[in-house]
Amino acid sequence: MLLNQCHLLMGLMLLHEVKGTMVKLNNGGFEDIVIAINPGLSEDNKIINSIKDMVKQASAYLFNATRQRFYFKTVKIVIPQNWMHKPEYKRVTRESYNDADVIVADPFLKYGDEPYTLQYGGCGEPGRYIHFTPNFLTNDSLLVVYGPRGRIFVHEWAHLRWGVFDEYNNDAPFYTTGKYKAEATRCSSEITGQYVFQTKTGSTRKCKMRQQNHLYESECLFLPDKEQTTSASIMYMQALPSVTQFCDMSNHNVRAPNLQNKICNFKSTWEVIMDSTDFAHSSSRSTPPPDPTISLLQMQERIVCLVLDVSGSMSGNNRIARLKQAAETFILQNIEDGSWVGIVTFNNAATIQTGLQQVVSDTVRKTLNGYLPISANGGTNICAGVQKGFQVFSSKYASTEGCEIVLLTDGEDSGLSSCFAEVQRSGSVIHTIALGPSAAKELEMLADMTGGLKFSATDSVDSSSLEDAFSGISSGSRSISLQSLQIESKGQSIGPKSWMYGTVSIDKTVGNDTFFAITWSVSMHPPGIHLTDPRGKNYTTADFVVENSNLKTARLKIPGTAEAGDWSYSIQNTESAAQVLSITVTSRAASATVPPITVKSYMSRDTNKFPNPTIIYAEVTQGFSPVIGVKVIAKIESASGKTTEIELLDNGSGADILRHDGIYSRYFTAFKENGRHNIKVSIQGKDKTAKRTRRHSHTLYIPGYIEDGKIKMNPPKPEPNVNETQGNMDNFSRIASGGSFLMTDVPAGYIPDVFPPCKITDLRVELTEEDEFHFFWTAPGNDFDVGKAERYEIKTSINPLELRQVTFHHATSLNTSALIPEVAGIKQSFQYKAENFTKENGTSIYFAIRAIDDSNNIGEVSNIAMATVLFPQLLEPPSNNEYNKIVTIVVITICSFTVVCAIISIIICVLKKRKMGDPKILETA
């Protein structure tokens, strides 16, 4: 029984590590898929009915597309709390909007309803979520441009689950075959259609070809034939009735310049799916699957119990005082209005300090704050605390399902696993905070099995990781306008009579319920505080409130909406000894209709074994619009308090798969020790460099079809207002906890260089008129994307498949002895003159590159770049009929010209003879 339980827990941990999802695969059926409706949407039963129809249609389509392997078995639809309650709606358990696999929400900018999947990782890596708009689900007129909703769901599910990419490319809609002919970027290339240019008057004509690159003119459209014979591919144009399959090796178009070829190195979609763990743990079914079982769940009031460790070890390292400060911020500033909050403390036994109280006023917040612990003693019994938390819930509600426990402990507990079964049955979510280096090793398993968040905090005197952990525990199913956002979080050891300075940028998207909280570690009196708002108004220590229950925290609440702009602060340690000063600033959205700028941080894995790198991600958005041009810094803190800072980038190289998609990322390899590491991400938008932009990789908008030989155009695609999507933004700052990850197998003492340079992902090649190949890419590092590589290898082939990782060493090498690597992140170029190069029009030549460091660690082979030999041509060569017409015209013209010349010669001759008096002149004439 215990062994089976351990296997179950390990399975849950593996699922959570891949993605923050609770989806399970059971005999080919995907279970517990969560589709959540945004809490800000108005009630509309059409949305629910459309989701039901879409899922049922998608399951049958998926089953056929995966060759009778996969289908949708159970799906949960999460309905907002403010929608009318119905008897068929059950309580949510561990489902939430934030962690849903599919979300239904309006876009921030009203320019379209294109479905998309947010993808962070590379080929084969699962995505974060699928986004459908309510208009997409309820407006049947969109079916003509996107196709049936069930087919689109399967298209997006392949992105989400298996990490495949689109086989079209809106940025490169065509590619040349090199024979004065262009093709639409698609898979398979067997999909037929016409190339049409639509004029401003609405009429159409054939597209013209551009001389310089043998591609069709801009705004040329490929209109597919409505009736096709090919069955592939779903990742290109699933709307076509004949399309029922993914591209495989037999029909994959390796020449198409799409993301699937670039990121998956010319692997077909079906090959990537076959490489997945899903495929390895499934087999074909002989009978069709049953229709999906769909459950309707409704969000509820937020119900939270703080379960706090007060064992003897909490009295050391100032832990109980830091707990009081951090939990106080959570209660007074962070927890949303309307939530129910209870408090439990535990050591050898557990005690209910207060039952559930609803947060409806500042008075209730202060009352709750008075129950926070201020002393510690005794042993550690974590299960006793958790069970008492369940009792707090049960005293008001018939079920503990959907309730949340915030569990903080610093101690070990050998009996923790004894309550795992009860925790799993409870339906509650447990968020864990491990304080110090000795917290129970099994602690995170409670979060993994319940879908909770995981944090760790160190004893470092100038760390704000504990405050950051509490601030990171926001509601997963409440409107973002109600949630508290962390604007600043900074701690620093300040010498006697010295100052801590800084600036906090509050932008126009936030400002309501803004708090400045100052804490200190030693003095019984507040430090000197000077705060100046953007208009020059000054606040001093006298304006801050010091709670009687906590003499080491001063708090200032800005009335109304805080002034947008830069707030400068200076805080003086007035003591004769050094002490830690810290500042935390939180705020809420300024408007319920304008979403605030937010940052969310994730890791590629939350358990890691040396020498595998960890990738840190930060998603910066306003609503669903990516925000680019932001300075993003990740701070990684080990269990002993050692910190490393790295800048995350959105440049499309290294760990970052797409440039300017609002997802900033970087490899982290600077491991110094084993144990828990916590991550904090800070973002800064300065000097109007930050801009909103559009999401990439939407479902293909089909401009029209060819039906019975006739052109039938669809309505034009809605386009965003340039000012909306690319306007500069105010200065802003945000802080977000990225949670914690566990590191194992780091060598003690000397750590060898085992990290190779990262994969180059942005290689491109151009062929000049002088027959030189020009290469362009972003330099990798010595250790993934840090430092500088030692040398490069570049290889070429006329077959791109020869340049993959396993066959790269067999391909033809280029002489790169003169090529010197730059520091990671620098744009590099290289010119190569091929010897005995024979230019044959239309020939495509492929190249790939990899880097090697000074320890001979070899990086992964880059994306495969293509160069095509093209001869200049003013016009497309005429067809045979056109050629015959041209020859006839030329011949007639020449003949006509010859007759005219003969007549003129005769006349001249006659005139000459007349002048000479020739008697035969009249006869000759």
Side-chain angles (χ1 to χ4, degrees), residues 452-465:
L453 302 170
K454 296 177 288 191
F455 301 91
S456 65
T458 70
D459 291 323
S460 177
V461 293
D462 58 352
S463 173
S464 58
S465 53

PDB file of all heavy atoms in Angstrom, residues 452-465:
ATOM      1  N   GLY A 452      -0.568  22.841  -5.229  1.00  0.00           N
ATOM      2  CA  GLY A 452      -0.208  24.088  -4.551  1.00  0.00           C
ATOM      3  C   GLY A 452       1.096  24.667  -5.042  1.00  0.00           C
ATOM      4  O   GLY A 452       1.821  24.066  -5.841  1.00  0.00           O
ATOM      5  N   LEU A 453       1.408  25.851  -4.536  1.00  0.00           N
ATOM      6  CA  LEU A 453       2.658  26.534  -4.863  1.00  0.00           C
ATOM      7  C   LEU A 453       3.738  26.137  -3.862  1.00  0.00           C
ATOM      8  O   LEU A 453       3.438  25.782  -2.721  1.00  0.00           O
ATOM      9  CB  LEU A 453       2.450  28.046  -4.843  1.00  0.00           C
ATOM     10  CG  LEU A 453       1.377  28.588  -5.790  1.00  0.00           C
ATOM     11  CD1 LEU A 453       1.101  30.062  -5.512  1.00  0.00           C
ATOM     12  CD2 LEU A 453       1.790  28.384  -7.242  1.00  0.00           C
ATOM     13  N   LYS A 454       4.995  26.251  -4.290  1.00  0.00           N
ATOM     14  CA  LYS A 454       6.120  25.879  -3.432  1.00  0.00           C
ATOM     15  C   LYS A 454       7.097  27.047  -3.338  1.00  0.00           C
ATOM     16  O   LYS A 454       7.511  27.597  -4.360  1.00  0.00           O
ATOM     17  CB  LYS A 454       6.838  24.653  -3.997  1.00  0.00           C
ATOM     18  CG  LYS A 454       5.993  23.400  -4.023  1.00  0.00           C
ATOM     19  CD  LYS A 454       6.713  22.233  -4.657  1.00  0.00           C
ATOM     20  CE  LYS A 454       6.848  22.406  -6.153  1.00  0.00           C
ATOM     21  NZ  LYS A 454       7.317  21.192  -6.835  1.00  0.00           N
ATOM     22  N   PHE A 455       7.446  27.401  -2.093  1.00  0.00           N
ATOM     23  CA  PHE A 455       8.380  28.499  -1.868  1.00  0.00           C
ATOM     24  C   PHE A 455       9.403  28.063  -0.826  1.00  0.00           C
ATOM     25  O   PHE A 455       9.173  27.141  -0.030  1.00  0.00           O
ATOM     26  CB  PHE A 455       7.643  29.740  -1.352  1.00  0.00           C
ATOM     27  CG  PHE A 455       6.565  30.253  -2.261  1.00  0.00           C
ATOM     28  CD1 PHE A 455       5.260  29.816  -2.138  1.00  0.00           C
ATOM     29  CD2 PHE A 455       6.867  31.166  -3.259  1.00  0.00           C
ATOM     30  CE1 PHE A 455       4.258  30.280  -2.972  1.00  0.00           C
ATOM     31  CE2 PHE A 455       5.876  31.639  -4.114  1.00  0.00           C
ATOM     32  CZ  PHE A 455       4.568  31.191  -3.972  1.00  0.00           C
ATOM     33  N   SER A 456      10.531  28.764  -0.841  1.00  0.00           N
ATOM     34  CA  SER A 456      11.514  28.584   0.225  1.00  0.00           C
ATOM     35  C   SER A 456      12.080  29.951   0.585  1.00  0.00           C
ATOM     36  O   SER A 456      12.096  30.861  -0.245  1.00  0.00           O
ATOM     37  CB  SER A 456      12.643  27.633  -0.207  1.00  0.00           C
ATOM     38  OG  SER A 456      13.399  28.185  -1.278  1.00  0.00           O
ATOM     39  N   ALA A 457      12.493  30.077   1.831  1.00  0.00           N
ATOM     40  CA  ALA A 457      13.072  31.335   2.320  1.00  0.00           C
ATOM     41  C   ALA A 457      14.276  30.997   3.182  1.00  0.00           C
ATOM     42  O   ALA A 457      14.256  30.019   3.937  1.00  0.00           O
ATOM     43  CB  ALA A 457      12.042  32.131   3.109  1.00  0.00           C
ATOM     44  N   THR A 458      15.313  31.805   3.079  1.00  0.00           N
ATOM     45  CA  THR A 458      16.556  31.543   3.806  1.00  0.00           C
ATOM     46  C   THR A 458      16.626  32.394   5.069  1.00  0.00           C
ATOM     47  O   THR A 458      15.783  33.260   5.320  1.00  0.00           O
ATOM     48  CB  THR A 458      17.766  31.854   2.924  1.00  0.00           C
ATOM     49  OG1 THR A 458      17.858  33.283   2.740  1.00  0.00           O
ATOM     50  CG2 THR A 458      17.652  31.204   1.560  1.00  0.00           C
ATOM     51  N   ASP A 459      17.674  32.137   5.847  1.00  0.00           N
ATOM     52  CA  ASP A 459      17.932  32.926   7.053  1.00  0.00           C
ATOM     53  C   ASP A 459      18.843  34.112   6.773  1.00  0.00           C
ATOM     54  O   ASP A 459      19.281  34.787   7.712  1.00  0.00           O
ATOM     55  CB  ASP A 459      18.572  32.041   8.133  1.00  0.00           C
ATOM     56  CG  ASP A 459      17.608  31.014   8.689  1.00  0.00           C
ATOM     57  OD1 ASP A 459      16.414  31.353   8.829  1.00  0.00           O
ATOM     58  OD2 ASP A 459      18.031  29.880   8.976  1.00  0.00           O
ATOM     59  N   SER A 460      19.135  34.359   5.527  1.00  0.00           N
ATOM     60  CA  SER A 460      20.004  35.475   5.178  1.00  0.00           C
ATOM     61  C   SER A 460      19.431  36.773   5.737  1.00  0.00           C
ATOM     62  O   SER A 460      18.243  37.065   5.584  1.00  0.00           O
ATOM     63  CB  SER A 460      20.137  35.581   3.656  1.00  0.00           C
ATOM     64  OG  SER A 460      20.913  36.691   3.291  1.00  0.00           O
ATOM     65  N   VAL A 461      20.275  37.568   6.398  1.00  0.00           N
ATOM     66  CA  VAL A 461      19.775  38.737   7.127  1.00  0.00           C
ATOM     67  C   VAL A 461      19.190  39.798   6.209  1.00  0.00           C
ATOM     68  O   VAL A 461      18.305  40.553   6.610  1.00  0.00           O
ATOM     69  CB  VAL A 461      20.906  39.367   7.989  1.00  0.00           C
ATOM     70  CG1 VAL A 461      21.310  38.426   9.101  1.00  0.00           C
ATOM     71  CG2 VAL A 461      22.114  39.739   7.123  1.00  0.00           C
ATOM     72  N   ASP A 462      19.683  39.880   4.970  1.00  0.00           N
ATOM     73  CA  ASP A 462      19.168  40.916   4.078  1.00  0.00           C
ATOM     74  C   ASP A 462      18.280  40.340   2.976  1.00  0.00           C
ATOM     75  O   ASP A 462      18.064  40.958   1.946  1.00  0.00           O
ATOM     76  CB  ASP A 462      20.316  41.715   3.450  1.00  0.00           C
ATOM     77  CG  ASP A 462      21.285  40.838   2.679  1.00  0.00           C
ATOM     78  OD1 ASP A 462      21.151  39.609   2.752  1.00  0.00           O
ATOM     79  OD2 ASP A 462      22.177  41.402   2.013  1.00  0.00           O
ATOM     80  N   SER A 463      17.732  39.132   3.209  1.00  0.00           N
ATOM     81  CA  SER A 463      16.857  38.526   2.214  1.00  0.00           C
ATOM     82  C   SER A 463      15.410  38.899   2.503  1.00  0.00           C
ATOM     83  O   SER A 463      14.982  38.940   3.654  1.00  0.00           O
ATOM     84  CB  SER A 463      17.007  36.998   2.237  1.00  0.00           C
ATOM     85  OG  SER A 463      16.049  36.399   1.392  1.00  0.00           O
ATOM     86  N   SER A 464      14.659  39.164   1.432  1.00  0.00           N
ATOM     87  CA  SER A 464      13.219  39.423   1.567  1.00  0.00           C
ATOM     88  C   SER A 464      12.415  38.247   1.031  1.00  0.00           C
ATOM     89  O   SER A 464      11.251  38.400   0.672  1.00  0.00           O
ATOM     90  CB  SER A 464      12.859  40.704   0.800  1.00  0.00           C
ATOM     91  OG  SER A 464      13.212  40.582  -0.568  1.00  0.00           O
ATOM     92  N   SER A 465      13.043  37.063   0.997  1.00  0.00           N
ATOM     93  CA  SER A 465      12.406  35.905   0.372  1.00  0.00           C
ATOM     94  C   SER A 465      11.146  35.463   1.102  1.00  0.00           C
ATOM     95  O   SER A 465      10.219  34.924   0.479  1.00  0.00           O
ATOM     96  CB  SER A 465      13.393  34.739   0.271  1.00  0.00           C
ATOM     97  OG  SER A 465      13.984  34.458   1.535  1.00  0.00           O
TER      98      SER A 465
END
